[in-house]
Structure formats: structure tokens, C-alpha cells
Amino acid sequence: QVQLVESGGGLVQAGGSLRLSCAASGRAFSIYTMGWFRQAPGKEREFVAANTYTTSTYYADSVKGRFTISRDNAKNAVYLQMNRLKPEDTAVYYCAARRYSTNPTQYDYWGQGTQVTVSL
């Protein structure tokens, strides 16, 4: 089992940047596919980005070219660099993990989330 803790959320103006981090407990982090999801008020949780254990990356169309997912297996961490933020990016962002998965949208473990608010 792995525990996930997100950090790095906050309030930023439109056009600004934030970098989210997700720290994972346990061993063998490199075998986990890691993902980021978000949930805005009144909306369903949606996929944002994924970095599989084979290091393939996937992005939602809404964030392509603006967000970048990366991982540091030595630090048991995954990151989401968010640039050119828009008000519609406002949401709680969740980190997720699944072992040995090539499916970028299905996960077994979830963090508690970190709030990102983008103001005009």
C-alpha cells in the first residue's frame, strides 16, 4: 500500500504558475503509475495528467501545452507544473497511484488533495 500527500496548491492570478508535488510513502515507487486529477465545485473529478511506470505521459486536452507531469523515483515524488493558469483550472487537485498500470485513468490509491484557485 502507498500513501500519497499533495502539496503546492494555493491562490494564483490567471496567467501565473504553480507546481504541485505529491510525496509517496513506501518502497518501489518506480513500479507505480502516477496520475493527477482535479475536481471543481459541482463537477465530477476529471483526469489531468499521468506518468506511467514505463514513463509514458498522458494529458487531458484542456491542459496540453500548459501542464507538465514529471517524477523523481529517487525522491518518491511526482510533480505537476502548471503554467498559464486559467480560472477554469480552479479545483482540488488529487494525486493517485496504481502499481504496474498502463491505464492512465484508473487508480487504487489517492491523496487528500490540494486546493488550486486561479483568480482573474
Side-chain angles (χ1 to χ4, degrees), residues 38-46 88-92 94 115:
R38 66 187 182 187
Q39 187 167 19
K43 296 187 177 181
E44 293 187 354
R45 186 168 59 192
E46 64 174 1
E88 51 264 44
D89 295 318
T90 295
V92 176
Y94 298 91
Q115 176 70 46

Side-chain angles (χ1 to χ4, degrees), residues 58-72:
Y58 300 84
Y59 296 94
D61 287 343
S62 59
V63 307
K64 277 181 184 175
R66 300 188 299 123
F67 291 10
T68 302
I69 187 170
S70 62
R71 66 192 296 157
D72 186 336

Side-chain angles (χ1 to χ4, degrees), residues 2-5 21-32 34 70-79 95:
V2 63
Q3 292 184 327
L4 306 171
V5 179
S21 299
C22 173
S25 65
R27 294 182 171 183
F29 178 74
S30 63
I31 69 172
Y32 285 87
M34 303 300 296
S70 62
R71 66 192 296 157
D72 186 336
N73 289 338
K75 295 183 178 180
N76 281 19
V78 64
Y79 308 99
C95 175

